Amino acid sequence: MYHKIMDFRSDTVTRPSEEMRRVIAAAEVGDDIYGDDPSSNALCKYAAEITGKEAAIFACSGTMGNLLAFTTAGRHGESLLAGKRSHVWCAEVGGFSAVAGLCPYPLVDDEGVPDPAELAVASRADNDVHHPDTTILALENTHNYTGGIAVPPERFAQTAREGRRLGFHVHLDGARVFNAAVRHGVDVRRYTDEVDSVQFCLSKGLGAPLGSMLCGSHELIEGAKKWRKRLGGAQRQVGIAAAAGLYALKNNVARLAEDHANAALLVDLLKRGGVEVEERPNMTNMVFFPLKEGQVGDAEFEAGCLEKGLLAHMISPRRARFVTHLDVDREDVERAAAIILEVLSA
């Protein structure tokens, strides 16, 4: 029997739904650099409103959105605090240093956000002429590499408020912040109200084909426009993508709960099969587990899954990550679990 190829590598692999494709085809467009693309303007207005910020700007990707915040809020030679397992530290090619010129300082973020008590010590705010001034604190929620965990709003606020008390520009890499809000049953502003700027992805769980939003003050966004142009990210009839993003925000946030439920099902099925799944508090749409000694190697595991119709991803040596999203359903999860168990037992 023919089965579709199931892609659990990431929630970045989603494809526009038929309705989203119709919205894209009918999108009103203009020249965004002149500020007359109605779809882009509508998206920016809506993104700012729902995050409680003054303004917003469309970026090509989450990495670019974060970088726009760092280049605009920071200056060359200043210091940025970020979790040592954060996406900006581990998976954005060192842009905060190579492009923004910021000196990074790593913080322990095993629970998703650093301990507030660490901030003052890490900032080295002692007026010592030898030390760079710390001006930016970068937080992440949900936190990818610690298991896709959604940091509770109260815990998130503790660290964010301490950062602002110390005078930092607090930026939220909220690529999946709507997953966090849905996981805890709160409005996304419970997180975004605590920070000076936030980046969130329109792709991933929300299902748009590309793009991210950076939201913040009017001053920050005006500065980000120049940096976006400098980095080659300014686009013309971007309304085609913006219309998809606006549709995603208005239609695909609540359904993220389905992805969380499917991930929980995958955890349960794998555990029943003897897999030592990494279980963490407040998991969302990601499932991690190690390949144990004596089991197949990384390449063999991915190849074995693919042979049976499952696209898998080893996020690091001997550590697999499976991500649920709007293009996989409960039946896919059940079939994926069966394939994983079969390959691991080979």
Side-chain angles (χ1 to χ4, degrees):
M1 179 183 296
Y2 171 78
H3 289 291
K4 70 176 183 180
I5 297 295
M6 302 176 299
D7 197 340
F8 280 73
R9 292 174 297 175
S10 176
D11 46 10
T12 62
V13 303
T14 59
R15 299 180 182 183
S17 64
E18 289 304 314
E19 180 58 30
M20 183 180 286
R21 289 178 184 272
R22 286 192 286 271
V23 168
I24 292 170
E28 292 185 78
V29 298
D31 192 315
D32 189 49
I33 307 307
Y34 287 115
D36 60 9
D37 186 300
S39 297
S40 176
N41 292 342
L43 171 61
C44 290
K45 182 176 185 292
Y46 188 70
E49 287 175 353
I50 62 175
T51 56
K53 301 304 178 189
E54 293 177 348
I57 185 174
F58 180 90
C60 300
S61 66
T63 295
M64 175 174 278
N66 288 332
L67 188 55
L68 292 178
F70 300 152
T71 52
T72 307
R75 293 176 298 183
H76 276 236
E78 294 177 340
S79 182
L80 171 145
L81 305 183
K84 65 180 182 179
R85 301 176 73 183
S86 65
H87 195 272
V88 301
W89 184 279
C90 298
E92 297 187 5
V93 208
F96 53 64
S97 178
V99 180
L102 298 172
C103 174
Y105 191 102
L107 300 171
V108 175
D109 58 350
D110 293 342
E111 300 302 319
V113 290
D115 189 319
E118 284 195 51
L119 302 185
V121 176
S123 74
R124 297 182 291 180
D126 51 15
N127 297 316
D128 191 314
V129 70
H130 301 91
H131 296 163
D133 293 330
T134 299
T135 52
I136 300 177
L137 169 65
L139 303 176
E140 181 178 343
N141 201 15
T142 64
H143 196 292
N144 187 345
Y145 291 111
T146 59
I149 62 175
V151 182
E154 298 81 6
R155 177 65 188 84
F156 181 84
Q158 291 174 356
T159 296
R161 289 174 184 176
E162 177 63 6
R164 297 178 84 176
R165 187 190 71 80
L166 291 167
F168 306 152
H169 176 101
V170 180
H171 173 71
L172 170 57
D173 174 8
R176 298 178 176 88
V177 70
F178 290 98
N179 288 84
V182 168
R183 173 64 179 79
H184 289 290
V186 299
D187 189 286
V188 73
R189 289 184 59 166
R190 285 288 301 277
Y191 294 107
T192 59
D193 281 350
E194 301 293 345
V195 300
D196 298 294
S197 59
V198 56
Q199 174 276 128
F200 66 82
C201 290
L202 298 164
S203 54
K204 299 187 170 70
L206 297 184
L210 76 158
S212 293
M213 304 303 297
L214 173 65
C215 309
S217 67
H218 287 299
E219 182 181 8
L220 180 86
I221 299 306
E222 287 304 307
K225 288 179 181 178
K226 283 198 173 184
W227 268 105
R228 185 180 65 173
K229 178 70 173 178
R230 185 176 286 127
L231 295 171
Q235 300 174 83
R236 300 298 177 176
Q237 286 72 38
V238 73
I240 291 175
L246 188 58
Y247 176 89
L249 282 175
K250 291 187 173 182
N251 293 276
N252 289 344
V253 172
R255 63 145 306 279
L256 292 171
E258 299 174 24
D259 299 340
H260 301 169
N262 282 334
L265 173 62
L266 181 59
V267 168
D268 182 58
L269 294 173
L270 293 177
K271 285 176 58 183
R272 287 192 219 169
V275 176
E276 296 178 1
V277 178
E278 297 178 17
E279 290 192 89
R280 302 292 305 277
N282 305 311
M283 295 171 66
T284 53
N285 67 324
M286 298 184 185
V287 178
F288 293 76
F289 59 85
L291 300 187
K292 294 186 289 188
E293 290 297 323
Q295 290 181 327
V296 293
D298 292 7
E300 290 78 12
F301 176 72
E302 289 183 349
C305 288
L306 179 57
E307 184 179 352
K308 300 177 185 302
L310 174 63
L311 282 165
H313 175 54
M314 300 301 298
I315 197 165
S316 59
R318 309 296 294 175
R319 189 186 189 211
R321 183 190 73 172
F322 285 77
V323 185
T324 54
H325 50 79
L326 60 81
D327 285 351
V328 297
D329 57 22
R330 184 182 179 90
E331 182 179 347
D332 294 326
V333 170
E334 293 172 345
R335 184 170 155 237
I339 290 172
I340 292 167
L341 294 174
E342 185 177 350
V343 173
L344 290 178
S345 64

